Amino acid sequence: MKTKMTEAIEKQINLAIEQMLNSKNIYIVSHVQPDGDNLGSILSLGQALKSKNLDVFMLKSDEIPNDFMFLPGIEYMMDYDGLGYVDVLIVLDSGDENRIGKNKEILGKANLVINIDHHISNTYFGDINIVDKDASSTGELVFEIIKSMGIEISKEIGTCLYTAISSDTGSFMYDNTSARTHEIAAELLKSNIDKSYININLYQNRSLERTKLFITALNSLELYYNDKVAIVAITQELLEKSNATMEDTEGIVSFLREISPVEVAIILKEFHGENIKVSMRSKKYVDVAKISSYFSGGGHVRAAGFTVNSTVGKIKASLLEQLKDYI
Ligand SMILES: [Mn+2]
């Protein structure tokens, strides 16, 4: 259980702060399919650095899901113009360079790359790497950085950090939630954030389209190995029928894990051209990061995923084969 940062990580944080404070302009880049941790981390760090009068640009590598349009500062997220001089590039919540998609080319342009992440699979691709697999979220690490800089947690920064940490801990429920996570949450609550506003936006905001997709998807639920493995496949056909988009599948896999006998919950998302994205969640003992790494994916012990070129039927079969030894 994490209580405090290691000295090595603290050293990297101090190094990063020194570089950021002395830089001419800083770019902070999102990953593809950005989530609450990614966007909350970007916006909190970005706004903190702006408060130090630094030139900060926050770049999107993908569309911003509607779910996060409530975040203060989200209007700052922009596309890279291809020309801007990049003194420091900060990559948040990304295990490797490919996570930043089309913005990967900026890595080569940057004088310095700072990699801040909590994925066990992180490849340490930065010049400075603030990587802590024991941190619940990247937001937790960004909090430590902002505090170390002596920057006051404004309501805006606090809202973004709380969103980041709450998102990645399943509102402080998952195994990655530590004593430190709660200490940080307590400090954020003292910064006068509107906790209920954040919670309603994150957890009580499901659209009707999404709800209908939930119902249809659950009708296709398949259970294996004494109901320990739950699988749902979202095909393009199913999306059309529900008048929903892939973004609306958010939350289904977590819901599957909530079923009593289920240890591993899996959602297979079929994109066009036999492109299948697999997300896995586990409850007590199966290390889904290990299973995911077999398919060249990454993630955490309780939440991991990968992308393959295959069909729903084929990938389902090989997943069940892999799972046999774990269940
Ligand atoms: Mn994260």
Side-chain angles (χ1 to χ4, degrees):
M1 181 66 76
K2 182 184 158 73
T3 47
K4 67 188 283 288
M5 274 182 300
T6 64
E7 244 170 69
I9 293 170
E10 233 166 289
K11 221 171 139 186
Q12 294 295 303
I13 287 182
N14 291 332
L15 215 62
I17 290 173
E18 199 187 304
Q19 292 291 336
M20 291 187 295
L21 289 177
N22 290 305
S23 71
K24 291 196 183 58
N25 60 39
I26 301 174
Y27 283 77
I28 313 178
V29 67
S30 88
H31 59 59
V32 292
Q33 297 176 334
D35 56 12
D37 186 27
N38 188 222
L39 292 169
S41 295
I42 293 167
L43 295 173
S44 52
L45 183 59
Q47 290 173 95
L49 294 173
K50 271 177 184 275
S51 78
K52 286 273 182 192
N53 287 323
L54 293 163
D55 286 322
V56 184
F57 305 92
M58 296 169 232
L59 301 179
K60 48 182 171 184
S61 302
D62 212 339
E63 285 311 304
I64 310 286
N66 274 327
D67 305 32
F68 303 111
M69 295 313 280
F70 77 96
L71 285 174
I74 196 80
E75 66 278 6
Y76 291 129
M77 297 296 299
M78 55 186 242
D79 285 309
Y80 181 57
D81 64 3
L83 301 169
Y85 165 74
V86 184
D87 204 0
V88 174
L89 179 70
I90 305 176
V91 185
L92 292 164
D93 200 40
S94 304
D96 60 64
E97 292 111 311
N98 291 324
R99 280 294 279 160
I100 63 175
K102 63 178 180 188
N103 284 321
K104 196 178 158 184
E105 52 154 348
I106 311 174
L107 283 164
K109 286 189 188 179
N111 281 334
L112 185 92
V113 175
I114 303 177
N115 161 24
I116 307 173
D117 186 35
H118 67 126
H119 290 88
I120 196 166
S121 51
N122 193 285
T123 59
Y124 287 73
F125 57 85
D127 299 304
I128 297 175
N129 300 286
I130 303 170
V131 177
D132 184 357
K133 66 169 176 50
D134 294 325
S136 69
S137 49
T138 300
E140 210 173 293
L141 294 169
V142 170
F143 173 88
E144 307 285 8
I145 295 166
I146 292 174
K147 286 301 276 190
S148 297
M149 292 181 88
I151 295 168
E152 206 200 320
I153 307 281
S154 65
K155 187 175 177 180
E156 289 76 22
I157 293 174
T159 300
C160 295
L161 284 175
Y162 193 87
T163 297
I165 298 170
S166 178
S167 297
D168 259 28
T169 57
S171 46
F172 307 95
M173 186 169 59
Y174 299 162
D175 279 359
N176 60 3
T177 308
S178 68
R180 182 68 189 139
T181 312
H182 280 290
E183 279 166 7
I184 294 172
E187 264 208 59
L188 296 177
L189 290 176
K190 285 181 210 156
S191 75
N192 220 6
I193 57 172
D194 188 341
K195 178 186 65 173
S196 138
Y197 171 77
I198 300 170
N199 283 326
I200 288 171
N201 272 289
L202 286 180
Y203 307 114
Q204 294 164 1
N205 203 24
R206 188 181 294 125
S207 69
L208 266 176
E209 289 78 16
R210 192 172 285 195
T211 306
K212 283 176 186 159
L213 179 68
F214 245 79
I215 296 167
T216 318
L218 289 174
N219 268 322
S220 71
L221 169 70
E222 291 177 22
L223 294 160
Y224 298 92
Y225 300 125
N226 288 326
D227 304 337
K228 287 198 184 92
V229 176
I231 305 184
V232 155
I234 308 290
T235 58
Q236 289 298 322
E237 192 192 334
L238 200 131
L239 287 180
E240 256 167 61
K241 228 168 46 187
S242 319
N243 197 19
T245 64
M246 218 36 115
E247 196 185 309
D248 294 319
T249 58
E250 182 64 42
I252 293 179
V253 70
S254 312
F255 183 88
L256 297 182
R257 175 170 56 184
E258 289 169 15
I259 304 167
S260 176
V262 170
E263 168 61 23
V264 179
I266 302 172
I267 186 169
L268 306 169
K269 300 178 199 169
E270 178 204 68
F271 290 85
H272 294 288
E274 294 210 335
N275 186 346
I276 314 262
K277 190 168 182 254
V278 179
S279 299
M280 295 182 282
R281 300 284 184 276
S282 65
K283 194 183 281 170
K284 286 184 252 176
Y285 56 90
V286 174
D287 181 349
V288 287
K290 251 191 202 157
I291 295 166
S292 164
S293 72
Y294 175 84
F295 295 95
S296 308
H300 309 283
V301 178
R302 297 278 168 263
F306 60 93
T307 307
V308 280
N309 272 313
S310 185
T311 61
V312 166
K314 273 188 210 154
I315 190 63
K316 205 190 285 175
S318 45
L319 263 171
L320 287 170
E321 181 61 32
Q322 282 305 310
L323 275 161
K324 210 163 57 187
D325 299 336
Y326 292 87
I327 282 292

